[in-house]
């Protein structure tokens, strides 16, 4: 940004509507020819359609896994995953003890995407949380990961997205949860607004920290 010539015009719209209003002036286009509402990703549109279906919660979760994740579910494995998903959707306190590679992340990811609000996931390894979040972001899902590989501006931007309700699944490390006052304030704000739906510890030893 600092490399731009000084004579370049800079615009700082406060929101997306302001951006389009600015853009219409720059391009000389009528404002009504540019988007009037938030642009919505196809994945988010499909997610809303599945949420609105007149189906049992587990049937919705399965549709989400198959249609948005593109998974072909193993019946025996799904029967066990479904128990954890059902408990999470009912708001129960839950310990899911499953073999490595069994797909236990679906037990918190699917409930997080099926409801409004924020699910906080405490995960011990940056590489692990980044891998999970990146894969979900590639699918177009409202997910974020707050970690040490991000610059301060990136972190601030993500927390603002969380504040505005654009992120439903947020990954953080135990260390960041313990040390970041800004993150704690944000989580208290969400909790106060009854928008913090659940907290997940992706590995049980995170509880020690």
């Amino acid at each position: 940004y600092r490399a731009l010539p000084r004579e370049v015009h800079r615009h700082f719209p406060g929101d997306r509507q302001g951006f389009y209003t600015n853009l219409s002036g720059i391009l000389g286009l009528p404002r009504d020819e540019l988007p009037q509402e938030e642009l919505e990703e196809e994945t988010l549109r499909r997610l809303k359609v599945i949420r609105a279906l007149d189906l049992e919660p587990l049937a919705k979760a399965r549709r989400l896994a198959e249609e948005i994740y593109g998974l072909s579910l193993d019946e025996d494995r799904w029967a066990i995953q479904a128990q954890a998903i059902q408990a999470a959707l009912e708001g129960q306190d839950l310990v899911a003890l499953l073999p490595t590679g069994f797909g236990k992340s679906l037990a918190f990811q699917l409930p997080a995407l099926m409801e409004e609000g924020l699910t906080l996931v405490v995960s011990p390894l940056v590489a692990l949380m980044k891998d999970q979040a990146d894969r979900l972001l590639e699918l177009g899902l409202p997910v974020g990961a707050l970690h040490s590989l991000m610059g301060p501006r990136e972190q601030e931007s993500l927390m603002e997205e969380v504040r505005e309700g654009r992120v439903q699944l947020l990954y953080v490390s135990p260390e960041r949860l313990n040390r970041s006052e800004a993150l704690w304030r944000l989580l208290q704000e969400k909790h106060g607004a009854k928008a913090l739906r659940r907290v997940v510890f992706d590995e049980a030893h995170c509880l020690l920290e």
Side-chain angles (χ1 to χ4, degrees):
Y1 184 78
R2 289 193 298 270
L4 291 171
R6 293 194 176 192
E7 63 271 14
V8 167
H9 293 284
R10 291 172 168 83
H11 303 273
F12 299 93
D15 55 30
R16 295 183 189 213
Q17 292 305 306
F19 167 76
Y20 288 118
T21 300
N22 253 340
L23 193 62
S24 67
I26 293 166
L27 299 178
L29 293 172
R31 175 65 184 85
D32 57 12
E33 289 185 11
L34 296 174
Q36 304 300 312
E37 300 176 357
E38 291 285 351
L39 293 178
E40 188 168 71
E41 295 286 346
E42 173 64 15
T43 300
L44 295 182
R45 189 192 65 76
R46 286 168 58 207
L47 185 58
K48 287 181 180 177
V49 168
I50 292 172
R51 279 182 186 168
L53 292 173
D54 186 20
L55 294 173
E56 291 295 317
L58 283 179
K60 289 185 186 181
R62 182 165 191 147
R63 288 280 293 269
L64 202 161
E66 292 174 340
E67 295 181 20
I68 293 183
Y69 280 62
L71 297 176
S72 178
L73 297 172
D74 173 270
E75 292 302 326
D76 293 336
R77 181 177 294 196
W78 175 251
I80 296 172
Q81 291 168 319
Q83 292 178 42
I85 291 166
Q86 183 72 45
L89 287 170
E90 290 172 358
Q92 296 182 30
D93 291 334
L94 167 69
V95 175
L97 184 60
L98 298 170
T100 300
F102 198 86
K104 62 181 178 293
S105 58
L106 285 184
F108 60 81
Q109 289 177 4
L110 295 181
L113 297 169
M114 288 171 64
E115 316 172 299
E116 295 298 326
L118 178 67
T119 292
L120 180 73
V121 182
V122 184
S123 182
L125 297 172
V126 170
L128 183 66
M129 73 169 81
K130 189 173 184 307
D131 178 58
Q132 285 197 29
D134 286 352
R135 278 191 290 111
L136 296 175
L137 285 168
E138 284 174 12
L139 294 174
L141 292 167
V143 176
L146 201 59
H147 52 73
S148 57
L149 299 180
M150 302 167 70
R153 291 288 173 86
E154 282 182 290
Q155 294 180 30
E156 288 171 18
S157 176
L158 176 57
M159 285 201 284
E160 190 56 37
E161 293 282 296
V162 173
R163 182 171 281 107
E164 292 178 6
R166 298 181 191 278
V167 173
Q168 288 177 240
L169 188 62
L170 178 66
Y171 287 82
V172 301
S173 68
E175 295 81 11
R176 183 163 301 276
L177 196 57
N178 282 337
R179 296 172 190 165
S180 173
E181 289 185 16
L183 178 59
W184 263 110
R185 284 196 301 272
L186 175 58
L187 294 174
Q188 288 169 341
E189 187 181 308
K190 284 289 178 182
H191 178 59
K194 300 189 185 305
L196 182 59
R197 297 305 300 257
R198 64 183 60 83
V199 177
V200 176
F201 294 90
D202 198 13
E203 299 286 350
H205 67 260
C206 290
L207 287 163
L208 298 175
E209 297 186 55

